[in-house]
Amino acid sequence: MSQIKACIFDLDGTLTDTIRAIAHFGNTALAAYGMDGVSIEDYKIYVGDGRDKLIHRLLKARNADTPEMFRNVCAVYNENYEKDWLYDTNVYDGIRELLERLKENGVKIAVCSNKPDNVVRFVLDSFFGKDYFDAVSGIIDGMPTKPDPYTALKIAESLNVKPEECLFLGDTNVDIFTAKNAGMTSVGVLWGFRTQTELVQAGADYIAPVPNVILQLV
């Protein structure tokens, strides 16, 4: 492994614990159209590819994935979520300490998420302070989403580091595939939404059971 100069983190399930919030907003939107909610365990499987795919998966689970219902449920989801982006959201234990240690050691830190860019920036600014990260990128309309490597590579370019000098860290196979597509070293984290089996099967280069393990990799 090349000398690591940057760590690029996923957001949900990696830096912040948001699964209860996502389930709340998703089930509220389903209930608005008379559908039963989905369990948190199922949400852990459905998330990771952005809001639109999440809503499609929720509706498929209720045999209601039509274009009209998708638009309706998305509208309710967005309306409620935009009122309180920090609802039932917390930073995972050990993350703040990890980020501080990385910064102290001169390692650049960045975030690459499939959430909307404005939401990603609001959440990070709220929990960590403005401009805490060296680069931040969520999704803007028309931009490819993970596992497409576009955003990860743009982040590396903006940090003036080579892909092989980056760790890409996340809790789902989407993150592992993103790292591989970008030519970065992949780290699957176990404190998020998915299982070690999924991360290993996706081909993670390393598995991190707790945040401070990442310091050993760097």
Side-chain angles (χ1 to χ4, degrees):
M1 184 168 63
S2 301
Q3 179 185 1
I4 297 302
K5 297 181 179 179
C7 288
I8 304 175
F9 294 86
D10 172 46
L11 180 59
D12 291 348
T14 302
L15 296 179
T16 54
D17 184 0
T18 55
I19 197 66
R20 293 177 303 278
I22 294 169
H24 166 76
F25 291 117
N27 286 344
T28 299
L30 292 175
Y33 290 92
M35 289 177 275
D36 292 336
V38 173
S39 72
I40 284 182
E41 291 307 307
D42 283 337
Y43 272 97
K44 290 180 179 180
I45 298 170
Y46 293 164
V47 299
D49 295 294
R51 180 208 60 195
D52 287 0
K53 288 188 178 180
L54 167 64
I55 300 300
H56 280 303
R57 288 164 182 162
L58 293 175
L59 291 174
K60 284 179 181 177
R62 294 294 173 257
N63 297 312
D65 191 17
T66 65
E68 180 181 8
M69 189 58 72
F70 173 77
R71 288 192 298 272
N72 291 341
V73 170
C74 269
V76 175
Y77 184 97
N78 291 340
E79 180 182 3
N80 289 321
Y81 187 42
E82 288 170 5
K83 291 176 182 176
D84 191 359
W85 285 333
L86 301 181
Y87 176 88
D88 206 355
T89 294
N90 297 286
V91 177
Y92 283 107
D93 290 344
I95 288 296
R96 294 182 189 277
E97 295 81 0
L98 167 64
L99 296 175
E100 282 299 311
R101 290 289 302 280
L102 291 172
K103 290 164 78 75
E104 289 169 5
N105 284 279
V107 178
K108 295 179 179 179
I109 57 173
V111 176
C112 179
S113 173
N114 274 346
K115 292 174 84 79
D117 188 72
N118 62 321
V119 178
V120 174
R121 293 176 186 276
F122 178 84
V123 170
L124 294 176
D125 288 353
S126 298
F127 282 117
F128 298 99
K130 192 168 181 60
D131 299 324
Y132 182 82
F133 291 87
D134 296 296
V136 172
S137 184
I139 295 303
I140 298 171
D141 287 346
M143 178 187 293
T145 59
K146 297 183 295 184
D148 189 289
Y150 174 83
T151 306
L153 291 173
K154 293 294 285 185
I155 288 173
E157 181 182 2
S158 74
L159 297 177
N160 196 30
V161 297
K162 300 174 183 177
E164 59 267 26
E165 295 172 330
C166 298
L167 289 185
F168 194 100
L169 307 98
D171 65 308
T172 75
N173 57 6
V174 172
D175 298 305
I176 304 307
F177 296 149
T178 303
K180 291 187 171 301
N181 291 340
M184 299 176 179
T185 299
S186 58
V187 181
V189 307
L190 297 186
W191 55 85
F193 303 157
R194 302 285 179 81
T195 64
Q196 180 170 345
T197 298
E198 175 180 312
L199 297 168
V200 170
Q201 288 179 344
D205 295 306
Y206 297 96
I207 297 293
V210 292
N212 64 12
V213 169
I214 292 158
L215 294 171
Q216 300 171 21
L217 299 179
V218 172

